[in-house]
């Protein structure tokens, strides 16, 4: 299931599984366990929508299930074409590359434009080469008609660094280092802290080095869900 409204401080688009039904009429009827397994929420039928793993919409997080080989055309959009004009540059992306649906392509049925994570290019690909992955987004339509998509993380999400990062104390953590989204402000409820993170795009992250912990605040673009690296069982 995916939420259609903000529920108990969690953003629209959070995914989970219905794991119980409340008999108490004073409570929302459905108990939903979030995909990261760390939290449960209660929701009404109007708050939820069943996910079709093979249907996508703007803001859906996706992964390539096949290698992509094509050519770069105008506006940094790569197309799969057999006979490109000579001015087009060849590009390729391996299966497992992750991104976000930017918009349905208006001229070709079952094709989508994918904004690739941490990459200037977008890919025009067919739905048959995509699979849905975890992840929530905020889609912002700008006055010039462009779309800005910001990835959202939730409390206790397992994340990894996209790039090497040097912190204020001079310590460094390499790309791929794992951590956890955490509420570093212990004087406020976690739901309140997370709403501020979604607004600002900066997240508290706890890294673990054996028994020691290191806390840092990082922008969303430096982070990816740990689950991005693993194929989803359909």
């Amino acid at each position: 299931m995916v939420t259609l409204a903000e529920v108990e401080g969690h953003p629209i688009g959070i995914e989970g599984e219905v794991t119980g039904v409340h008999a108490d009429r004073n409570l929302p009827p459905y108990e939903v366990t979030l995909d990261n397994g760390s939290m449960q929420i209660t929701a009404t039928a109007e708050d939820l929508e069943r996910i079709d793993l093979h249907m996508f919409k703007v803001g859906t997080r996706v992964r390539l299930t096949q290698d992509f080989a094509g050519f770069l055309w105008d506006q940094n959009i790569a197309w799969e074409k057999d006979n490109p004009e000579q001015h087009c540059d060849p590009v390729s992306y391996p299966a497992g590359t992750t991104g976000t649906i930017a918009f349905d392509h208006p001229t070709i049925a079952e094709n989508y434009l994918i904004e690739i994570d941490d990459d200037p290019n977008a890919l025009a690909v067919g739905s048959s080469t995509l699979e849905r992955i975890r992840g929530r987004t905020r889609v912002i339509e700008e006055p010039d008609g462009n779309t800005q998509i910001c990835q959202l993380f939730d409390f206790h999400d397992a994340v990894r660094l996209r790039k090497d990062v040097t912190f204020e104390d001079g310590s460094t953590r390499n790309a791929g280092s794992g951590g956890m989204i955490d509420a570093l402000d212990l004087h406020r409820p976690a739901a309140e802290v997370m709403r501020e993170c979604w607004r600002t795009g900066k997240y508290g992250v706890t890294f673990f080095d054996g028994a020691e912990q290191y806390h840092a605040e990082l922008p969303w673009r430096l982070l990816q869900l740990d689950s991005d690296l693993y194929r989803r069982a359909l």
Side-chain angles (χ1 to χ4, degrees), residues 50-133:
R50 185 181 299 276
I51 294 175
D52 184 341
L53 295 179
H54 303 284
M55 296 295 291
F56 312 107
K57 58 184 179 181
V58 173
T60 300
R61 296 279 298 150
V62 292
R63 172 170 39 221
L64 293 181
T65 59
Q66 300 176 19
D67 293 344
F68 176 96
F71 295 86
L72 195 61
W73 292 69
D74 293 337
Q75 299 179 342
N76 290 343
I77 298 175
W79 293 72
E80 291 182 298
K81 287 188 176 292
D82 296 327
N83 298 304
E85 298 178 12
Q86 292 184 356
H87 70 273
C88 300
D89 297 323
V91 294
S92 62
Y93 292 86
T97 297
T98 56
T100 305
I101 301 289
F103 55 84
D104 298 352
H105 195 275
T107 58
I108 304 177
E110 299 301 320
N111 268 246
Y112 295 89
L113 194 68
I114 313 302
E115 286 194 3
I116 300 301
D117 292 338
D118 196 31
D119 191 286
N121 296 333
L123 306 184
V125 297
S127 60
S128 62
T129 62
L130 297 172
E131 67 174 348
R132 187 187 186 103
I133 60 175

Side-chain angles (χ1 to χ4, degrees), residues 198-212:
W198 301 328
R199 179 179 61 82
T200 63
K202 294 182 178 180
Y203 292 83
V205 183
T206 298
F207 296 92
F208 300 93
D209 292 327
E212 297 184 0

Side-chain angles (χ1 to χ4, degrees), residues 170-223:
S171 64
T172 300
R173 278 174 174 74
N174 296 328
S177 297
M180 180 181 69
I181 300 294
D182 208 349
L184 302 186
D185 186 344
L186 301 180
H187 302 290
R188 293 188 294 164
E192 180 181 334
V193 175
M194 292 311 304
R195 281 195 291 270
E196 182 174 340
C197 292
W198 301 328
R199 179 179 61 82
T200 63
K202 294 182 178 180
Y203 292 83
V205 183
T206 298
F207 296 92
F208 300 93
D209 292 327
E212 297 184 0
Q213 298 181 11
Y214 185 88
H215 304 284
E217 186 177 69
L218 297 172
W220 69 270
R221 291 186 182 278
L222 288 179
L223 304 171

